Every structure is written in structure tokens, then in C-alpha cells.
Amino acid sequence: MTLGPRPTLTSLSEHNWDLIVIGGGITGAGVLLEAARLGYRALLLEQADFAWGTSSRSSKMVHGGLRYIAQGQVRLTRDALRERERLLRELPGLVERATYLFPLRKGRFPGRWPMTALLGVYDFLAGIRDRAFLSNEELLKRVPGLDDQGLGGALSYTDALTDDCRLVLRTLLEAARYQGRAMNYARVTGVSRGDGDAATAPLRVAVRDLTDDTTATLTAHAVINATGAWAGQLGGDAERIRPLRGSHLFFSAERLPVRDCLTVLHPRDQRPVFIFPWEGVVCVGTTDLDHPEDLNREPRASEQEMDYLLELLNQQFPRASLGAGDVLSSMAGVRPVIRSSRAGKPSSEKRDHAVWEHDGVISVSGGKLTTFRLIALDALLAAGLLDRTGWRRARHSNVPLYAPIPEAPVQVDEFLHGDQDDDALLSWCLEHEAVVHLDDLLLRRTRLGLLRRDGGLSLHDRLQGLAADKLGWDAVRWQQEWQRYRRLRDEYYGVPGRLAEAS
């Protein structure tokens, strides 16, 4: 399976599309796949790289969300848990079940029995039973170095982890099997009605190819705006979306030897924070803050957010004495949360999605990574590409969304950084996955720029040779891409505060 050669606007303008999807995150990819499976001629346009926004910067969790039950969002949790189980069945290796531990502290809320009851509801909604209680002795064997003061054991349960960007790419690759088309670095600059009856005239989508500055106007019977945090701007209601920033820090497994996912409460505000193994390193996050900055700039973790997460780590692992020098890299993403009527704390906002229409364009935003398939079906229903009966049937269908991936030189459907050969992996991505810039390759197709302390600088010579061979980059283009990558990695994915002061 491959995304094929990157299309040109000239070739795309030769078609009358049934559907154009704007936005190349997990929601847009899900819409493209479901539309293509229904037999529609569908095209996805993304202004940056696929999964550039929230969908490469999430907490990597395919989960139901325990806290949503406590907030009364039982239906959302139920739907997410059922979708979690579907993805675990269909994408082994890419979506993997993981053990989560919730350490209990004497005299602190919630206690053992309220959490046991909550996990009982969680298991019931998922249709499984995997909760258990661990004694202090068992817990400290599994999590060496954990603070044992006031420790009252832990409750164990399971959820799932993924590489969110690879999940987007896998969904786009699946859509390509049904002739769905996708183009990155293609910015939609406007949508208008064509000539004729206002209700039935095709929509005209103005697009600029950011790689060569060419433009074209494409036509489609329906347009779905799945641009996440940008959805309110294109959808005529900028205040509908509340952009919230969530940041993560990455540490080596040697400095933070965690083998299970830990769910702990921050001492400052009692927010749940996760500490979990991912791709050979350990990830810690997330924060939850309003993000008033320009959405077209890469988000970055602040020094204050780093201090917040380090404070938690040193409370939970007091002998580790972790500091900024132990941070391998950071990652910040902006969640497109549907704004409630009250101006409450960011963490109190619900995680439901919303679908609305404006000037003939259907917009969809909000929701969770785990429920992207259900969100996509809601958008297609609103766009008139799916009737109510078909929508109900699709929601409850057991027909697999993903076909088994054919044998490939690298296991692209599995976590990418075990014993995989770097050159084989990099070559596969360069040939088959629409890489336009070096940061596409090192920060999204693979995560080498996040996982290595040097940000992948030691790969310079190998990368230069592969880029020349697979993409035809000459020495001038290579130097431009290398400098672009180093700037992006240092300023937006490096240790917070260090290069931000110099930028």
C-alpha cells in the first residue's frame, strides 16, 4: 500500500469530486476513508503535512477516558471503549493494549473503593474485565523508585497506546485502497458556490500548492471542514472552538525506568498526568492550558509547563532528581475543544465533538482520537453522503475498517523503533508516504527527531544520501531542508526555554 506520487493541482482539477475533505489529521483521514469505502470520489487537502497538527502531538492513547465517566460523559466513554477494542483487533502492533497503574495514597482522594467502582463501570462499558489490585510490594517491584510514603497499593487496568501520526498515515493508506486521494501542503484559500441553484450548485474550492505556488479551483458536491483548531475560522464561527495546549516531555528509559503506564494526580491541581513507555523512551504529560497564540505557528511547550511536569515527576520519584538536562525533547499540541457556555477551567471542558453547516460547508471539530470513525460518520451524515439508516448500520457494523497490510520490506504497521533497520524504514517512508520536507520524515513518518537526544543529527550523511536517491534532492535543496529541520526541532521540540530565549 502506498500514497503514490504526490498529485498536482492540474491533475486534480480534471475531476469533479463527490467530496473534498479539508484537513489531514485523524478526523479528516477518517472521513476520507469512510467516504471512499462508500464509493464516493473523495479528495483530502491538508495545508501542512499529514498529521502536522494535533494528530501527531496527542498523548498517544487510544482510550475511553476514565475521567469522562466522573464528568457524566458515559456515552462518550462507552463509544470510545468500543472503538478502542475495534482498533486493537484490527491494527495489532500499531494499537497495543497496555497496563495502567493508579497508585493509591492513604488519606487522598480517590480511595481504593471509589476507584474500584469506577473501573468496574469502565470494564463493563468495554465488555471486558481486567482490573486488579496490587499490594505495595507488587507495585514497587513493577515501579522501582516510586515514592512509598503513604502508599496504599495500586489499581491496575488496561487501555491502549499508539503512534498517532502512524495511525493517520495508516488510515490514509487504507483510503488509497478505495481510490481516495490525499495531498499535503495544499492550502484551501476559499470555498464558494458555483453557478446555478444555490442549494444544488457545486462548491468551488480554491487551493494553493505550497510547494510550487501554483493555484487551482476544484469542484465538489460536498465539502467537509475537518481542520481541528482552525475549524471555527473556516466554519464561520471562530468562537466555537477553544484551543487548548497540551505539552509532553520525553526522557530516556535509563533516567526514568517505567515499564507500565502510570496515572498520577499532580500535587498542584489534582489533574491526572500520565507517565508511560513509548517507542523506547518515557513520555510524561499532559498539561492543559488555553492557547491564544497564532495557530499557524508551531506550538511549543513553555518553560512553565516543563517545570510543572518535572515537579510531578520529582514528587513521584524523589530519588531520581530529574531536571531540564534530562529532557530528551518536548512536544506540544493544540486540542480543538468545543467551547462550553461557561468559561471554566480548561480541564473541565467536555470532549464531545460538534458538526455544523455554514455556507454549504459541513464543519466538524472536537472529540477524541479514539472515536474518529464515529465522528467521520456523523460528518458524512450531515453532508448528505450517508442517510440515517446507513449511518446506524455503519456505527454498529463489525465489518473491519482496515484490511491486513501486505508484506513489506519494513513492518510499517507496527511500532517503528524496536529492532527495525533505520535505512529500510527511512527508504520506505521516502518512497511511499508523500514526504515533502525533512521534518515530515524525522518528526512524523518516523519519530527519530524526538527519540534521539541529538535530534537525529548523527543521521546526517545517511539521510542526505537517501534523500538524493529517493527524492532527487541536490546539495542546495539538502542544505535548505537540513537547516529548516534543525530550526524546527530546536525551537519547537527541544528543551523548553533554552532556544526560545534566543529565537
Side-chain angles (χ1 to χ4, degrees):
M1 274 192 297
T2 175
L3 291 179
R6 185 172 177 273
T8 65
L9 290 182
T10 299
S11 66
L12 296 178
S13 63
E14 295 171 355
H15 302 285
N16 291 316
W17 299 94
D18 296 316
L19 170 67
I20 290 178
V21 184
I22 309 173
I26 190 60
T27 299
V31 172
L32 180 72
L33 173 53
E34 289 289 4
R37 274 163 40 101
L38 289 168
Y40 290 111
R41 179 173 286 179
L43 168 68
L44 180 147
L45 301 170
E46 161 58 45
Q47 68 170 342
D49 186 27
F50 302 127
W52 176 86
T54 313
S55 294
S56 62
R57 308 163 194 254
S58 77
S59 292
K60 321 303 178 198
M61 295 181 183
V62 177
H63 67 153
L66 269 173
R67 69 189 182 94
Y68 303 140
I69 297 178
Q71 293 175 345
Q73 295 179 279
V74 176
R75 181 177 177 179
L76 173 64
T77 306
R78 180 202 65 193
D79 288 346
L81 287 169
R82 291 178 180 176
E83 291 300 300
R84 180 195 75 183
E85 293 302 303
R86 170 192 284 268
L87 290 167
L88 282 165
R89 288 193 304 271
E90 295 186 20
L91 295 176
L94 180 55
V95 180
E96 294 189 322
R97 199 179 295 277
T99 299
Y100 285 64
L101 303 176
F102 185 89
L104 300 166
R105 302 283 178 181
K106 294 173 184 177
R108 296 186 191 174
F109 182 84
R112 175 178 176 180
W113 300 115
M115 274 300 297
T116 299
L118 185 64
L119 288 172
V121 175
Y122 204 61
D123 277 358
F124 173 76
L125 294 174
I128 62 173
R129 190 189 191 285
D130 62 2
R131 64 191 184 277
F133 175 75
L134 275 64
S135 67
N136 277 1
E137 183 180 4
E138 292 172 306
L139 176 60
L140 292 172
K141 281 182 180 178
R142 291 175 67 161
V143 191
L146 185 68
D147 182 23
D148 61 0
Q149 283 196 335
L151 196 61
L155 288 168
S156 168
Y157 63 102
T158 67
D159 259 316
L161 290 174
T162 191
D163 182 323
D164 47 0
C165 187
R166 294 304 313 176
L167 182 59
V168 173
L169 265 292
R170 181 66 175 83
T171 303
L172 293 174
L173 288 166
E174 192 68 28
R177 289 201 323 114
Y178 295 93
Q179 310 307 311
R181 302 294 302 278
M183 183 178 183
N184 53 356
Y185 295 98
R187 177 174 293 161
V188 172
T189 57
V191 181
S192 60
R193 277 287 182 195
D195 298 329
D197 183 86
T200 60
L203 289 161
R204 303 168 73 171
V205 180
V207 190
R208 180 180 298 278
D209 184 340
L210 300 183
T211 69
D212 60 12
D213 208 34
T214 58
T215 60
T217 298
L218 312 180
T219 60
H221 294 293
V223 173
I224 293 179
N225 163 28
T227 54
W230 290 264
Q233 299 173 10
L234 185 60
D237 188 359
E239 290 301 309
R240 184 182 288 263
I241 308 300
R242 183 178 181 179
L244 299 178
R245 186 173 70 251
S247 296
H248 299 78
L249 303 178
F250 296 94
F251 297 84
S252 72
E254 290 74 27
R255 287 294 286 128
L256 191 56
V258 173
R259 293 174 297 169
D260 297 304
C261 302
L262 295 179
T263 305
V264 293
L265 302 180
H266 199 286
R268 197 184 300 179
D269 53 15
Q270 298 301 297
R271 280 191 60 256
V273 177
F274 297 102
I275 306 168
F276 58 98
W278 185 75
E279 301 281 30
V281 299
V282 175
C283 182
V284 181
T286 180
T287 58
D288 204 5
L289 301 169
D290 283 300
H291 184 76
E293 299 170 26
D294 183 356
L295 292 175
N296 290 317
R297 279 180 60 90
E298 294 250 9
R300 63 184 174 193
S302 67
E303 199 167 1
Q304 291 73 27
E305 288 173 285
M306 178 178 68
D307 292 341
Y308 174 88
L309 294 175
L310 286 171
E311 178 186 344
L312 170 79
L313 286 173
N314 286 313
Q315 182 215 36
Q316 295 291 327
F317 297 92
R319 294 188 294 278
S321 299
L322 293 163
D326 296 300
V327 177
L328 296 179
S329 59
S330 64
M331 175 184 67
V334 180
R335 307 180 190 92
V337 174
I338 304 302
R339 189 185 299 274
S340 67
S341 57
R342 64 188 186 284
K345 294 180 180 178
S347 295
S348 68
E349 293 281 20
K350 294 187 175 181
R351 294 319 196 237
D352 291 315
H353 67 277
V355 181
W356 69 98
E357 184 273 339
H358 177 74
D359 287 347
V361 175
I362 299 299
S363 295
V364 57
S365 192
K368 291 164 50 64
L369 171 75
T370 313
T371 55
F372 73 89
R373 185 185 73 93
L374 303 181
I375 297 171
L377 294 174
D378 287 353
L380 290 171
L381 175 67
L385 300 177
L386 194 62
D387 61 23
R388 181 69 61 173
T389 300
W391 172 81
R392 288 196 194 95
R393 186 183 301 118
R395 278 184 64 91
H396 301 291
S397 171
N398 290 321
V399 176
L401 190 63
Y402 298 92
I405 197 165
E407 286 297 320
V410 292
Q411 295 301 310
V412 293
D413 210 22
E414 297 185 0
F415 280 359
L416 299 174
H417 304 290
D419 298 324
Q420 196 81 263
D421 176 69
D422 283 344
D423 281 359
L425 170 63
L426 294 166
S427 295
W428 172 268
C429 295
L430 288 169
E431 286 188 75
H432 301 287
E433 295 189 346
V435 170
V436 173
H437 292 295
L438 188 57
D439 49 290
D440 302 341
L441 179 67
L442 293 179
L443 296 176
R444 286 174 290 279
R445 303 298 182 280
T446 75
R447 301 301 192 137
L448 296 173
L450 289 174
L451 304 177
R452 301 195 176 189
R453 181 172 291 278
D454 69 353
L457 300 188
S458 60
L459 297 171
H460 177 280
D461 293 347
R462 292 160 66 189
L463 285 169
Q464 184 174 11
L466 288 169
D469 180 41
K470 305 298 181 183
L471 301 180
W473 289 358
D474 60 17
V476 173
R477 174 68 185 273
W478 167 257
Q479 192 60 28
Q480 292 171 343
E481 291 291 339
W482 186 249
Q483 293 303 321
R484 169 192 161 100
Y485 168 69
R486 291 195 62 176
R487 179 185 62 80
L488 287 172
R489 200 280 180 184
D490 288 345
E491 187 170 351
Y492 300 106
Y493 296 87
V495 180
R498 287 191 176 175
L499 281 134
E501 295 172 357
S503 63

